[in-house]
Short mmCIF file of all heavy atoms in Angstrom, two decimals:
data_model
loop_
_atom_site.label_atom_id
_atom_site.label_comp_id
_atom_site.label_asym_id
_atom_site.label_seq_id
_atom_site.Cartn_x
_atom_site.Cartn_y
_atom_site.Cartn_z
N ILE A 81 -42.29 -19.40 7.17
CA ILE A 81 -41.25 -19.16 8.17
C ILE A 81 -39.87 -19.46 7.59
O ILE A 81 -38.97 -18.63 7.63
CB ILE A 81 -41.49 -20.02 9.45
CG1 ILE A 81 -42.74 -19.52 10.19
CG2 ILE A 81 -40.27 -20.00 10.36
CD1 ILE A 81 -43.03 -20.26 11.49
N GLU A 85 -38.83 -15.90 6.61
CA GLU A 85 -38.94 -15.15 7.87
C GLU A 85 -37.83 -15.41 8.89
O GLU A 85 -37.85 -14.86 9.98
CB GLU A 85 -40.30 -15.46 8.53
CG GLU A 85 -41.47 -14.97 7.70
CD GLU A 85 -42.82 -15.38 8.26
OE1 GLU A 85 -42.88 -16.04 9.32
OE2 GLU A 85 -43.83 -15.04 7.62
N PRO A 101 -37.55 -19.28 15.42
CA PRO A 101 -38.79 -18.63 15.01
C PRO A 101 -40.01 -19.23 15.71
O PRO A 101 -41.11 -18.70 15.62
CB PRO A 101 -38.86 -18.92 13.51
CG PRO A 101 -38.11 -20.20 13.35
CD PRO A 101 -37.08 -20.27 14.44
N GLU A 102 -39.81 -20.35 16.39
CA GLU A 102 -40.90 -21.02 17.09
C GLU A 102 -40.29 -21.99 18.10
O GLU A 102 -39.08 -22.23 18.08
CB GLU A 102 -41.81 -21.75 16.09
CG GLU A 102 -41.10 -22.76 15.21
CD GLU A 102 -41.20 -24.17 15.73
OE1 GLU A 102 -42.33 -24.62 15.96
OE2 GLU A 102 -40.15 -24.82 15.92
N GLY A 103 -41.12 -22.54 18.98
CA GLY A 103 -40.57 -23.31 20.09
C GLY A 103 -40.62 -24.82 19.95
O GLY A 103 -39.94 -25.53 20.68
N ARG A 133 -39.14 -13.61 14.01
CA ARG A 133 -39.54 -13.84 12.62
C ARG A 133 -39.43 -12.52 11.86
O ARG A 133 -39.96 -11.50 12.32
CB ARG A 133 -40.98 -14.35 12.52
CG ARG A 133 -41.15 -15.74 13.09
CD ARG A 133 -42.56 -16.27 12.90
NE ARG A 133 -42.80 -17.38 13.82
CZ ARG A 133 -43.97 -17.95 14.04
NH1 ARG A 133 -45.04 -17.51 13.39
NH2 ARG A 133 -44.09 -18.93 14.88
N ASP A 135 -40.97 -10.67 9.72
CA ASP A 135 -42.28 -10.52 9.12
C ASP A 135 -42.56 -9.02 9.00
O ASP A 135 -41.84 -8.22 9.61
CB ASP A 135 -43.30 -11.17 10.08
CG ASP A 135 -44.52 -11.68 9.35
OD1 ASP A 135 -44.72 -11.28 8.19
OD2 ASP A 135 -45.26 -12.48 9.94
N GLN A 138 -46.75 -4.93 12.17
CA GLN A 138 -48.01 -4.19 12.25
C GLN A 138 -48.60 -4.45 13.63
O GLN A 138 -47.98 -5.18 14.41
CB GLN A 138 -48.98 -4.64 11.15
CG GLN A 138 -49.21 -6.14 11.13
CD GLN A 138 -50.23 -6.57 10.08
OE1 GLN A 138 -51.42 -6.47 10.31
NE2 GLN A 138 -49.75 -7.02 8.94
N GLY A 140 -49.95 -6.12 16.52
CA GLY A 140 -50.10 -7.55 16.83
C GLY A 140 -49.10 -8.44 16.11
O GLY A 140 -49.13 -9.65 16.27
N ARG A 141 -48.25 -7.83 15.28
CA ARG A 141 -47.23 -8.65 14.61
C ARG A 141 -45.86 -7.99 14.76
O ARG A 141 -45.67 -6.84 14.35
CB ARG A 141 -47.58 -8.83 13.14
CG ARG A 141 -46.84 -10.06 12.59
CD ARG A 141 -46.70 -10.01 11.10
NE ARG A 141 -47.92 -10.42 10.42
CZ ARG A 141 -48.18 -10.08 9.17
NH1 ARG A 141 -47.34 -9.33 8.49
NH2 ARG A 141 -49.29 -10.48 8.61
N TYR A 142 -44.95 -8.72 15.35
CA TYR A 142 -43.63 -8.16 15.64
C TYR A 142 -42.54 -9.09 15.13
O TYR A 142 -42.81 -10.22 14.76
CB TYR A 142 -43.48 -7.98 17.16
CG TYR A 142 -44.65 -7.28 17.76
CD1 TYR A 142 -45.72 -8.00 18.30
CD2 TYR A 142 -44.75 -5.88 17.72
CE1 TYR A 142 -46.84 -7.36 18.80
CE2 TYR A 142 -45.86 -5.24 18.22
CZ TYR A 142 -46.90 -5.98 18.75
OH TYR A 142 -48.01 -5.34 19.24
N ARG A 143 -41.32 -8.59 15.14
CA ARG A 143 -40.19 -9.43 14.70
C ARG A 143 -39.58 -10.17 15.88
O ARG A 143 -39.03 -11.24 15.70
CB ARG A 143 -39.17 -8.56 13.97
CG ARG A 143 -39.73 -8.12 12.64
CD ARG A 143 -38.78 -7.28 11.83
NE ARG A 143 -39.36 -7.06 10.52
CZ ARG A 143 -38.92 -6.19 9.64
NH1 ARG A 143 -37.86 -5.44 9.93
NH2 ARG A 143 -39.51 -6.06 8.48
N GLN A 144 -39.65 -9.57 17.05
CA GLN A 144 -39.41 -10.35 18.26
C GLN A 144 -40.72 -10.36 19.03
O GLN A 144 -41.26 -9.32 19.37
CB GLN A 144 -38.31 -9.74 19.14
CG GLN A 144 -38.20 -10.52 20.45
CD GLN A 144 -37.06 -10.09 21.36
OE1 GLN A 144 -36.05 -9.57 20.91
NE2 GLN A 144 -37.21 -10.35 22.64
N PHE A 145 -41.26 -11.56 19.26
CA PHE A 145 -42.49 -11.67 20.03
C PHE A 145 -42.32 -12.83 21.00
O PHE A 145 -41.30 -13.51 20.99
CB PHE A 145 -43.69 -11.87 19.10
CG PHE A 145 -43.60 -13.12 18.26
CD1 PHE A 145 -44.26 -14.28 18.63
CD2 PHE A 145 -42.85 -13.14 17.10
CE1 PHE A 145 -44.16 -15.44 17.87
CE2 PHE A 145 -42.75 -14.29 16.33
CZ PHE A 145 -43.39 -15.44 16.72
N HIS A 146 -43.31 -13.03 21.84
CA HIS A 146 -43.14 -14.02 22.91
C HIS A 146 -44.27 -15.03 22.91
O HIS A 146 -45.42 -14.68 22.67
CB HIS A 146 -43.07 -13.30 24.26
CG HIS A 146 -41.90 -12.36 24.33
ND1 HIS A 146 -41.90 -11.15 23.67
CD2 HIS A 146 -40.70 -12.48 24.92
CE1 HIS A 146 -40.73 -10.54 23.87
NE2 HIS A 146 -39.98 -11.33 24.63
N GLN A 147 -43.92 -16.25 23.18
CA GLN A 147 -44.93 -17.30 23.21
C GLN A 147 -44.87 -18.09 24.51
O GLN A 147 -43.79 -18.32 25.06
CB GLN A 147 -44.72 -18.29 22.06
CG GLN A 147 -45.08 -17.72 20.69
CD GLN A 147 -44.92 -18.74 19.57
OE1 GLN A 147 -44.14 -19.68 19.68
NE2 GLN A 147 -45.66 -18.55 18.49
N TYR A 172 -56.47 -18.62 29.26
CA TYR A 172 -57.08 -17.35 28.84
C TYR A 172 -58.17 -16.92 29.83
O TYR A 172 -58.30 -15.76 30.17
CB TYR A 172 -57.72 -17.48 27.45
CG TYR A 172 -56.74 -17.65 26.32
CD1 TYR A 172 -56.83 -18.76 25.47
CD2 TYR A 172 -55.75 -16.70 26.07
CE1 TYR A 172 -55.95 -18.91 24.41
CE2 TYR A 172 -54.88 -16.86 25.01
CZ TYR A 172 -54.98 -17.96 24.18
OH TYR A 172 -54.12 -18.11 23.15
N ARG A 278 -52.92 -27.19 8.46
CA ARG A 278 -51.49 -27.08 8.72
C ARG A 278 -50.91 -27.90 7.60
O ARG A 278 -51.04 -29.11 7.59
CB ARG A 278 -51.13 -27.71 10.06
CG ARG A 278 -51.83 -27.04 11.21
CD ARG A 278 -50.87 -26.79 12.31
NE ARG A 278 -51.20 -25.56 12.98
CZ ARG A 278 -50.40 -24.96 13.84
NH1 ARG A 278 -49.23 -25.47 14.11
NH2 ARG A 278 -50.74 -23.84 14.41
N GLU A 289 -57.05 -23.39 16.51
CA GLU A 289 -56.63 -21.99 16.55
C GLU A 289 -57.60 -21.25 17.47
O GLU A 289 -58.79 -21.56 17.50
CB GLU A 289 -56.69 -21.41 15.14
CG GLU A 289 -56.01 -20.09 15.03
CD GLU A 289 -55.45 -19.82 13.64
OE1 GLU A 289 -55.87 -20.50 12.68
OE2 GLU A 289 -54.60 -18.92 13.54
N ILE A 290 -57.07 -20.28 18.21
CA ILE A 290 -57.93 -19.53 19.12
C ILE A 290 -57.94 -18.08 18.67
O ILE A 290 -56.89 -17.47 18.46
CB ILE A 290 -57.42 -19.67 20.57
CG1 ILE A 290 -57.46 -21.16 20.96
CG2 ILE A 290 -58.28 -18.87 21.53
CD1 ILE A 290 -56.33 -21.60 21.81
N GLN A 298 -54.80 -9.21 13.09
CA GLN A 298 -54.07 -10.35 13.67
C GLN A 298 -54.86 -10.90 14.85
O GLN A 298 -54.51 -10.70 16.00
CB GLN A 298 -52.67 -9.90 14.12
CG GLN A 298 -51.87 -9.22 13.04
CD GLN A 298 -51.62 -10.12 11.84
OE1 GLN A 298 -51.29 -11.29 11.99
NE2 GLN A 298 -51.82 -9.60 10.65
N SER A 299 -55.95 -11.60 14.54
CA SER A 299 -56.86 -11.97 15.62
C SER A 299 -56.56 -13.34 16.22
O SER A 299 -57.20 -13.76 17.17
CB SER A 299 -58.30 -11.92 15.14
OG SER A 299 -58.46 -12.87 14.10
N SER A 300 -55.57 -14.05 15.65
CA SER A 300 -55.24 -15.35 16.22
C SER A 300 -54.35 -15.15 17.44
O SER A 300 -53.25 -14.63 17.34
CB SER A 300 -54.51 -16.19 15.16
OG SER A 300 -53.78 -17.21 15.79
N VAL A 301 -54.87 -15.56 18.60
CA VAL A 301 -54.06 -15.40 19.81
C VAL A 301 -53.27 -16.66 20.13
O VAL A 301 -52.38 -16.65 20.98
CB VAL A 301 -54.89 -14.97 21.05
CG1 VAL A 301 -55.31 -13.52 20.92
CG2 VAL A 301 -56.08 -15.87 21.27
N GLY A 302 -53.61 -17.76 19.47
CA GLY A 302 -52.86 -18.98 19.73
C GLY A 302 -53.29 -20.10 18.81
O GLY A 302 -54.35 -20.03 18.18
N GLY A 303 -52.45 -21.10 18.73
CA GLY A 303 -52.80 -22.23 17.88
C GLY A 303 -51.96 -23.44 18.23
O GLY A 303 -50.98 -23.33 18.97
N GLY A 304 -52.37 -24.57 17.69
CA GLY A 304 -51.59 -25.76 17.97
C GLY A 304 -52.15 -26.97 17.25
O GLY A 304 -53.01 -26.84 16.39
N PHE A 324 -49.23 -26.55 21.77
CA PHE A 324 -49.78 -25.26 21.34
C PHE A 324 -48.75 -24.16 21.56
O PHE A 324 -47.77 -24.36 22.29
CB PHE A 324 -51.10 -24.92 22.04
CG PHE A 324 -51.04 -24.64 23.53
CD1 PHE A 324 -50.22 -23.65 24.07
CD2 PHE A 324 -51.84 -25.36 24.41
CE1 PHE A 324 -50.19 -23.38 25.44
CE2 PHE A 324 -51.82 -25.11 25.79
CZ PHE A 324 -50.99 -24.12 26.30
N ALA A 325 -48.97 -23.02 20.91
CA ALA A 325 -48.16 -21.83 21.16
C ALA A 325 -49.11 -20.64 21.20
O ALA A 325 -49.93 -20.46 20.28
CB ALA A 325 -47.12 -21.64 20.06
N LEU A 326 -49.04 -19.87 22.27
CA LEU A 326 -49.93 -18.73 22.44
C LEU A 326 -49.09 -17.45 22.47
O LEU A 326 -48.06 -17.40 23.13
CB LEU A 326 -50.71 -18.85 23.75
CG LEU A 326 -51.28 -20.24 24.10
CD1 LEU A 326 -52.00 -20.20 25.44
CD2 LEU A 326 -52.21 -20.76 23.02
N GLY A 327 -49.52 -16.45 21.72
CA GLY A 327 -48.75 -15.21 21.63
C GLY A 327 -49.07 -14.26 22.78
O GLY A 327 -50.22 -13.90 22.99
N ILE A 328 -48.03 -13.87 23.51
CA ILE A 328 -48.29 -13.06 24.71
C ILE A 328 -48.65 -11.61 24.35
O ILE A 328 -49.54 -11.02 24.94
CB ILE A 328 -47.08 -13.12 25.67
CG1 ILE A 328 -46.90 -14.60 26.07
CG2 ILE A 328 -47.31 -12.25 26.91
CD1 ILE A 328 -45.90 -14.86 27.13
N GLU A 329 -48.00 -11.05 23.31
CA GLU A 329 -48.33 -9.67 22.91
C GLU A 329 -49.82 -9.57 22.55
O GLU A 329 -50.49 -8.58 22.88
CB GLU A 329 -47.51 -9.23 21.69
CG GLU A 329 -46.07 -8.86 22.01
CD GLU A 329 -45.14 -10.05 22.11
OE1 GLU A 329 -45.62 -11.19 21.97
OE2 GLU A 329 -43.93 -9.85 22.34
N ARG A 330 -50.33 -10.59 21.87
CA ARG A 330 -51.74 -10.53 21.45
C ARG A 330 -52.68 -10.72 22.62
O ARG A 330 -53.81 -10.23 22.60
CB ARG A 330 -52.01 -11.56 20.34
CG ARG A 330 -51.27 -11.14 19.09
CD ARG A 330 -51.74 -11.84 17.86
NE ARG A 330 -50.75 -11.64 16.81
CZ ARG A 330 -50.62 -12.40 15.75
NH1 ARG A 330 -51.45 -13.43 15.58
NH2 ARG A 330 -49.70 -12.15 14.86
N ILE A 331 -52.23 -11.44 23.64
CA ILE A 331 -53.05 -11.56 24.85
C ILE A 331 -53.18 -10.18 25.49
O ILE A 331 -54.26 -9.76 25.89
CB ILE A 331 -52.40 -12.54 25.86
CG1 ILE A 331 -52.45 -13.95 25.30
CG2 ILE A 331 -53.07 -12.45 27.23
CD1 ILE A 331 -51.69 -14.98 26.10
P1 AMP U 519 -47.65 -19.88 15.20
O1 AMP U 519 -46.37 -20.31 15.89
O2 AMP U 519 -47.40 -19.18 13.90
O3 AMP U 519 -48.66 -20.99 15.13
O4 AMP U 519 -48.29 -18.76 16.12
C1 AMP U 519 -48.85 -19.01 17.38
C2 AMP U 519 -49.25 -17.70 18.01
O5 AMP U 519 -48.10 -16.89 18.19
C3 AMP U 519 -50.16 -16.85 17.15
O6 AMP U 519 -51.50 -17.20 17.37
C4 AMP U 519 -49.88 -15.46 17.66
O7 AMP U 519 -50.61 -15.21 18.84
C5 AMP U 519 -48.41 -15.53 17.99
N1 AMP U 519 -47.59 -14.97 16.91
C6 AMP U 519 -47.14 -15.59 15.80
N2 AMP U 519 -46.41 -14.76 15.05
C7 AMP U 519 -46.36 -13.58 15.69
C8 AMP U 519 -45.76 -12.31 15.43
N3 AMP U 519 -44.99 -12.10 14.34
N4 AMP U 519 -45.94 -11.32 16.32
C9 AMP U 519 -46.70 -11.51 17.43
N5 AMP U 519 -47.30 -12.66 17.73
C10 AMP U 519 -47.14 -13.70 16.88
#
Side-chain angles (χ1 to χ4, degrees):
I81 291 183
E85 295 174 1
E102 57 97 54
R133 293 184 199 171
D135 208 344
Q138 53 177 279
R141 201 202 280 159
Y142 311 94
R143 290 181 173 168
Q144 174 175 334
F145 60 98
H146 299 75
Q147 288 182 334
Y172 291 123
R278 300 225 145 193
E289 192 151 18
I290 300 143
Q298 306 299 316
S299 62
S300 159
V301 287
F324 67 56
L326 318 179
I328 299 188
E329 283 82 358
R330 292 196 195 159
I331 291 173

